[in-house]
C-alpha cells in the first residue's frame, strides 16, 4: 500500500523494461507494509482456525490480481488502475476507483502517524507537556512531533530519493520477523501462549486486518506495464503472494504464541523495551513510515493541484500539502486506534479496490467471462464473499471506533 505512487510524474520506461526479479521485488515491497505489525493481533482476534481465512484471502486477492492483468491484456492502452475503470465504465469508473484509492492512501497516512505516536510513546512514555493549561500526553506529543519532522518532505516535488529509500521495506519486514523471533527464543519471552481455537466474535476484525495485508492492487497495473515481458506478471503475482503470505503467517504465529490474548494492536507494543532486539524492531517500525509518508500523500496532493486555477503554483502546492498533513494529524489524534482504523481500511476500502472492483471491471471488459461456467461462478462467489466481508467488517470496525471515542 505504501508504495502506491503510480500517480506521480514518472520518467518514460526504457525499451528494455523491468526484469522479472526486479518486478518481484517491487511487488513484495508493495505488499510488505504496516499490516505485518497487526497480523498477530488479527490472529488473536480470530483464533488458530482463522489462519485458514488468511490463506483463502491470499488466494482470492491473487486471483483478482490476475483479473486485473487480463483487463490490461484486453486493451494495451491501459497503464494504471484508473485506466481500467475508464475502459470498463467510462469516466464514472475512473472517478470511482480514484476516490477509493485516494481514501485508502489518506487513511494509510493517518495510520503512519498513529503508529509513530504509539511506538515512540513505548520508548519514551513520559514526554508529555502542558501548554496554555492544556495537557498534551506523550503519545499526542509524538504525533505532533512526527508531523513537524515529515512536513518538509511533503513539499518535495521529486520524490525519487524517498522512493528509493522505501524499497528497503522488504528487508525491514524480514528483520522485524527475525527480531520478534529472537525476543521469543532467546530473550526469555517464550512461546507458551495462544490457546483459542476459534473466536467467532472477533472474526470480522480478524478478516478485515488480514485483507488489509493484501491491498496492493492499485499498483499492480503499473508494475505489469513496466515489465519487459508482461506475460510473466502472473508468475510475479504468484511469487509475491506466496512469499508475503509466508512472512505474514510466520509473524502471526510467532506473535500469538508469545503473547496470546494479551496482544496489543501492534506487536511492537508488546515487546520488552529493555532488550536490544526489541529496540531494533521498534526503531525499524518508527523509521519506515518517516520515509514513506510523503510518497503516500503526494498522489492526493497532485490530484488537487491539477485543478486549473492552482496548477503550477508552488505556494499553493506547499499550502495544499501542509493542509493534508494537518488534517491527517487531526484524524490521528481524534481516532488513535491503530488496529480498528486498519480494519476499517481493510473492510471498506481494500474490499472495494482489491476484491469487488477487479471482478466488476473484468466482467464488463471481457464479454466471454459473462457466459455461465466455472470462471463466472468463481467471480460471483468472490463478489458475494467480498460484499459480506465489506458490510460486516465495516460495521464492526466503525462500531468499535465509535465506542472507544465515546469511552
Amino acid at each position: 500500500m505504501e508504495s502506491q505512487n503510480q500517480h506521480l510524474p514518472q520518467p518514460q520506461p526504457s525499451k528494455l523494461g523491468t526484469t522479472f526479479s526486479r518486478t518481484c521485488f517491487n511487488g513484495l515491497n508493495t505488499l510488505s507494509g504496516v499490516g505485518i505489525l497487526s497480523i498477530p493481533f488479527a490472529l488473536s482476534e480470530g483464533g488458530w482456525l482463522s489462519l485458514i481465512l488468511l490463506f483463502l484471502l491470499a488466494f482470492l486477492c491473487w486471483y483478482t490480481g490476475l483479473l486485473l492483468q487480463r483487463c490490461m491484456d484486453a486493451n494495451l492502452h491501459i497503464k494504471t488502475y484508473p485506466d481500467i475503470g475508464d475502459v470498463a465504465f467510462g469516466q464514472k469508473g475512473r472517478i470511482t476507483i480514484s476516490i477509493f484509492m485516494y481514501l485508502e492512501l489518506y487513511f494509510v497516512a493517518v495510520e503512519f502517524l498513529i503508529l509513530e505516536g504509539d511506538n515512540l510513546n513505548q520508548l519514551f512514555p513520559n514526554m508529555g507537556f502542558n501548554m496554555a493549561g492544556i495537557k498534551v500526553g506523550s503519545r499526542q506529543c509524538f504525533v505532533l512531533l512526527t508531523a513537524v519532522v515529515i512536513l518538509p518532505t511533503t513539499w518535495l516535488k521529486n520524490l525519487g530519493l524517498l522512493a528509493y529509500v522505501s524499497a528497503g521495506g522488504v528487508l525491514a519486514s524480514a528483520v522485524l520477523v527475525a527480531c520478534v523471533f529472537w525476543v521469543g527464543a532467546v530473550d526469555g519471552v517464550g512461546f507458551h501462549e495462544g490457546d483459542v481455537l476459534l473466536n467467532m466474535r472477533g472474526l470480522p476484525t480478524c478478516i478485515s486486518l488480514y485483507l488489509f495485508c493484501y491491498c496492493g492492487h492499485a499498483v499492480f497495473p503499473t508494475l505489469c506495464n513496466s515489465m519487459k515481458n508482461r506475460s510473466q506478471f502472473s508468475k510475479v503475482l504468484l511469487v509475491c503472494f506466496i512469499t508475503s503470505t509466508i512472512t505474514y503467517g510466520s509473524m502471526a504465529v510467532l506473535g500469538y504464541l508469545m503473547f496470546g490474548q494479551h496482544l496489543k494492536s501492534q506487536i511492537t507494543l508488546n515487546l520488552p523495551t529493555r532488550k536490544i532486539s526489541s529496540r531494533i524492531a521498534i526503531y525499524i517500525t518508527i523509521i519506515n513510515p518517516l520515509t514513506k509518508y510523503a510518497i503516500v500523500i503526494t498522489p492526493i496532493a497532485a490530484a488537487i493541484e491539477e485543478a486549473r486555477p492552482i496548477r503550477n503554483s508552488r505556494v499553493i502546492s506547499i499550502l495544499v500539502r501542509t493542509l493534508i498533513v494537518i488534517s491527517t494529524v487531526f484524524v490521528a489524534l481524534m481516532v488513535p486506534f491503530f488496529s480498528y482504523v486498519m480494519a476499517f481500511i481493510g473492510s471498506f476500502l481494500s474490499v472495494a479496490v482489491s476484491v469487488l472492483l477487479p471482478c466488476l471491471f473484468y466482467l464488463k471488459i471481457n464479454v466471454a467471462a459473462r457466459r455461465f461456467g466455472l470462471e463466472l461462478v468463481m467471480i460471483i462467489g468472490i463478489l458475494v464473499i467480498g460484499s459480506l466481508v465489506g458490510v460486516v467488517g465495516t460495521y464492526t470496525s466503525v462500531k468499535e471506533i465509535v465506542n472507544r471515542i465515546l469511552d
Side-chain angles (χ1 to χ4, degrees):
M1 264 296 304
E2 301 92 318
S3 303
Q4 292 174 6
N5 58 336
Q6 69 272 22
H7 292 286
L8 303 179
Q10 306 215 8
Q12 292 296 320
S14 65
K15 294 181 180 180
L16 294 177
T18 308
T19 63
F20 175 83
S21 58
R22 180 66 178 272
T23 309
C24 285
F25 179 82
N26 290 336
L28 284 171
N29 191 37
T30 300
L31 294 175
S32 299
V34 295
I36 196 170
L37 299 174
S38 287
I39 199 78
F41 175 76
L43 181 57
S44 72
E45 286 286 290
W48 286 112
L49 289 180
S50 70
L51 281 174
I52 298 174
L53 298 176
L54 175 67
F55 301 137
L56 175 61
L57 290 174
F59 171 78
L60 293 184
C61 291
W62 166 75
Y63 182 74
T64 54
L66 289 181
L67 295 184
L68 291 180
Q69 182 192 10
R70 294 174 186 174
C71 289
M72 296 188 69
D73 291 340
N75 190 324
L76 297 180
H77 295 291
I78 294 176
K79 306 297 181 184
T80 65
Y81 203 160
D83 289 344
I84 296 178
D86 188 61
V87 170
F89 294 102
Q91 190 66 13
K92 292 181 180 179
R94 177 179 289 276
I95 292 174
T96 299
I97 188 60
S98 296
I99 289 174
F100 277 105
M101 285 173 57
Y102 293 145
L103 283 175
E104 196 172 36
L105 290 171
Y106 181 85
F107 281 107
V108 167
V110 171
E111 285 282 76
F112 284 162
L113 295 177
I114 298 174
L115 183 151
E116 293 291 313
D118 288 345
N119 283 278
L120 285 169
N121 181 56
Q122 174 83 342
L123 293 175
F124 312 103
N126 301 310
M127 293 295 289
F129 61 91
N130 290 315
M131 183 175 63
I134 301 175
K135 184 178 180 181
V136 179
S138 178
R139 194 194 64 79
Q140 291 84 0
C141 173
F142 284 122
V143 170
L144 294 171
L145 180 61
T146 300
V148 172
V149 171
I150 64 177
L151 181 58
T153 68
T154 65
W155 298 338
L156 300 175
K157 286 286 190 177
N158 184 358
L159 295 180
L161 179 60
L162 287 176
Y164 211 56
V165 173
S166 73
V170 178
L171 178 61
S173 297
V175 173
L176 186 61
V177 174
C179 288
V180 171
F181 174 76
W182 186 274
V183 171
V186 179
D187 288 339
V189 173
F191 304 100
H192 311 298
E193 300 289 339
D195 55 358
V196 176
L197 190 63
L198 182 64
N199 177 21
M200 294 297 296
R201 293 187 62 183
L203 277 183
T205 299
C206 169
I207 295 173
S208 298
L209 292 174
Y210 284 165
L211 193 57
F212 178 89
C213 296
Y214 296 109
C215 59
H217 289 60
V219 79
F220 286 167
T222 304
L223 294 179
C224 178
N225 185 62
S226 70
M227 289 193 71
K228 184 192 327 186
N229 183 358
R230 283 175 40 160
S231 64
Q232 291 186 317
F233 189 67
S234 58
K235 297 178 182 178
V236 170
L237 288 176
L238 187 62
V239 170
C240 291
F241 274 94
I242 289 177
T243 305
S244 60
T245 300
I246 292 173
T247 303
Y248 286 131
S250 300
M251 178 63 93
V253 171
L254 287 174
Y256 192 40
L257 285 175
M258 290 168 63
F259 302 107
Q261 300 306 120
H262 304 291
L263 274 162
K264 298 180 181 179
S265 61
Q266 306 156 54
I267 190 170
T268 48
L269 302 181
N270 287 95
L271 301 179
T273 55
R274 66 185 182 278
K275 301 294 184 180
I276 297 297
S277 55
S278 298
R279 286 183 171 267
I280 292 174
I282 295 173
Y283 288 143
I284 290 174
T285 301
I286 291 171
I287 292 172
N288 254 349
L290 294 178
T291 65
K292 295 181 177 181
Y293 182 96
I295 293 175
V296 167
I297 71 158
T298 295
I300 306 172
I304 298 173
E305 292 164 12
E306 285 175 4
R308 290 184 181 276
I310 61 176
R311 186 176 294 175
N312 299 325
S313 173
R314 180 62 176 161
V315 175
I316 296 297
S317 174
I318 292 177
L319 178 62
V320 166
R321 292 159 192 260
T322 302
L323 289 176
I324 292 175
V325 173
I326 292 173
S327 68
T328 58
V329 169
F330 178 78
V331 176
L333 293 175
M334 292 298 296
V335 192
F337 315 116
F338 185 85
S339 60
Y340 293 112
V341 172
M342 184 180 291
F344 171 76
I345 298 172
S347 58
F348 180 59
L349 300 172
S350 299
V351 162
V353 174
S354 300
V355 179
L356 300 180
L357 292 178
C359 293
L360 295 176
F361 290 164
Y362 177 68
L363 289 177
K364 179 65 175 178
I365 293 174
N366 193 333
V367 178
R370 301 176 214 164
R371 298 173 187 155
F372 184 78
L374 179 61
E375 183 181 52
L376 181 60
V377 171
M378 183 178 294
I379 292 175
I380 292 176
I382 293 174
L383 288 171
V384 172
I385 294 172
S387 300
L388 182 63
V389 170
V391 172
V392 177
T394 301
Y395 171 79
T396 303
S397 58
V398 171
K399 179 182 177 182
E400 291 289 349
I401 291 172
V402 172
N403 288 340
R404 278 161 173 72
I405 291 176
L406 295 177
D407 291 342

